[in-house]
Amino acid sequence: MEKSLELANMTGVQEFILIGLSTRVGIKDALFTIFLTLYLLTFLENALIIYLICSHSELHKPMYFFLGNLSCLELCYVSVTMPSLLVGLWLGPCHVPFIACIIQLFLFISLIGTKCTLLASMAYDRYVAICRPLHYPLLMRPQVCLGLAMTSWLGGLLFSVIKTACITSLSYCGPNVLNHFFCDASPLLNLSCNRMALTELVDFISAIIIFCGSLLVSLASYVAIGRTILCMPSVAARCKALSTCASHLAVMGIFYSVVLFMYSRPSHIESTDLNKVLSVVYTVVTPMCSPIIYCLRNKEVHTALRKTVHPR
């Protein structure tokens, strides 16, 4: 922490000002109510999923183990970004100390990296379940599942260390106004006064490895799943196989499509307001929708929920 304080003192900026989502008073009040409701709903949904998975033995399966990890991640995810969004809507532009901004950035990047690798692990689980069902108990035994989950969390942490170190190695000599509702990497890079090619290259390579690497694993898994499903003899078998991975495909599709659009769209449609809208999608909407998508048609989760609500 002392080194971090020294780093902050070396820069000309001691704090950042987060503009937030809107400056109009009427809209801000309405948005505060909406996002507070979404935050509480997201927290309750994911907490309920974790409780059901931990308390019901019939849900002690690899698929639900990864779903529990995803729900835990979503809880952390919204708790990192939503408080600054709500404070900005309630009090106006939010003054964030340099160190607090870097900590928020570190946690956010770590959770993004973890989510990428966790979605890839879930895709691999579906691949084994559909393409190699006879080997599923061996290939997805508890030790393997725990190893994949730990790799996801530690991989995200390592990714964040590298990316955050690159960003904090830059100097910030003003201005200090971030047109965003939390400390994200792109707005911070835009404020640095010594954009170094080596720093950007290291940042880019680390992002390619964890983001594109996890995406390729997921795509390869679903290509294999698609081939296996097409070779199934009956329509009923195909529908059953598709239903087991439809939820994961939906969540993965929303997350990757938004992130890919944010970081690969042409420069002529660059917009900070568009950035904020897209950030709301993958930091607020996706964590809220994930439990609903995963559990809407899941009979085992419905049964566990009924047992919890109406115990015999």
Side-chain angles (χ1 to χ4, degrees):
M1 183 61 72
E2 291 180 359
K3 290 183 179 180
S4 299
L5 290 171
E6 289 175 5
L7 176 62
N9 290 333
M10 289 170 60
T11 67
V13 173
Q14 299 300 310
E15 67 175 14
F16 292 102
I17 302 174
L18 298 176
I19 296 297
L21 288 182
S22 175
T23 55
R24 293 174 59 182
V25 177
I27 294 178
K28 285 172 65 175
D29 292 341
L31 288 177
F32 178 83
T33 303
I34 292 171
F35 282 113
L36 179 60
T37 303
L38 291 178
Y39 176 54
L40 295 175
L41 182 60
T42 303
F43 197 93
L44 290 173
E45 285 176 349
N46 287 284
L48 178 61
I49 294 298
I50 295 170
Y51 172 76
L52 291 175
I53 292 172
C54 291
S55 60
H56 293 271
S57 58
E58 62 269 26
L59 299 182
H60 292 176
K61 300 176 182 179
M63 181 175 70
Y64 298 110
F65 172 76
F66 290 118
L67 180 56
N69 273 268
L70 182 64
S71 292
C72 182
L73 182 143
E74 304 287 25
L75 280 180
C76 299
Y77 200 54
V78 294
S79 297
V80 166
T81 56
M82 286 290 282
S84 60
L85 185 153
L86 293 171
V87 169
L89 290 172
W90 183 256
L91 300 176
C94 184
H95 293 252
V96 181
F98 183 90
I99 301 305
C101 191
I102 295 302
I103 291 173
Q104 186 184 43
L105 175 70
F106 174 80
L107 293 173
F108 174 72
I109 294 175
S110 177
L111 293 170
I112 281 284
T114 300
K115 185 166 186 176
C116 289
T117 49
L118 191 58
L119 287 173
S121 298
M122 296 173 76
Y124 173 72
D125 170 69
R126 292 299 84 204
Y127 158 75
V128 177
I130 295 173
C131 300
R132 305 186 66 183
L134 296 178
H135 297 88
Y136 188 79
L138 176 64
L139 294 176
M140 297 306 296
R141 60 191 183 275
Q143 296 90 333
V144 174
C145 294
L146 182 60
L148 288 172
M150 289 183 64
T151 300
S152 297
W153 287 96
L154 293 176
L157 191 65
L158 178 62
F159 171 59
S160 184
V161 168
I162 295 171
K163 196 173 177 72
T164 306
C166 290
I167 294 173
T168 53
S169 67
L170 302 174
S171 297
Y172 299 90
C173 44
N176 66 337
V177 178
L178 290 172
N179 189 9
H180 215 301
F181 58 87
F182 70 97
C183 294
D184 199 1
S186 296
L188 283 171
L189 284 173
N190 290 334
L191 292 184
S192 66
C193 48
N194 63 335
R195 299 278 292 274
M196 294 183 291
L198 180 60
T199 300
E200 293 183 340
L201 180 62
V202 172
D203 174 57
F204 176 75
I205 292 174
S206 63
I208 287 293
I209 290 173
I210 196 162
F211 182 78
C212 292
S214 60
L215 179 58
L216 287 175
V217 170
S218 299
L219 290 177
S221 298
Y222 277 106
V223 167
I225 289 171
R227 289 177 178 174
T228 301
I229 290 175
L230 289 175
C231 294
M232 290 179 176
S234 67
V235 176
R238 292 177 186 176
C239 292
K240 184 178 179 181
L242 278 173
S243 67
T244 63
C245 54
S247 299
H248 179 257
L249 264 176
V251 171
M252 191 178 72
I254 294 171
F255 175 76
Y256 279 115
S257 59
V258 172
V259 175
L260 278 173
F261 182 77
M262 279 193 66
Y263 294 102
S264 64
R265 68 179 185 271
S267 58
H268 67 271
I269 59 171
E270 180 73 25
S271 168
T272 52
D273 290 333
L274 180 60
N275 271 348
K276 289 191 287 186
V277 171
L278 293 174
S279 295
V280 166
V281 173
Y282 74 82
T283 60
V284 180
V285 178
T286 303
M288 182 195 68
C289 292
S290 291
I292 298 173
I293 293 172
Y294 274 109
C295 302
L296 193 61
R297 297 174 59 189
N298 192 303
K299 294 180 180 179
E300 290 180 305
V301 174
H302 289 175
T303 302
L305 184 57
R306 281 197 298 270
K307 288 181 180 179
T308 302
V309 176
H310 302 292
R312 294 181 180 178

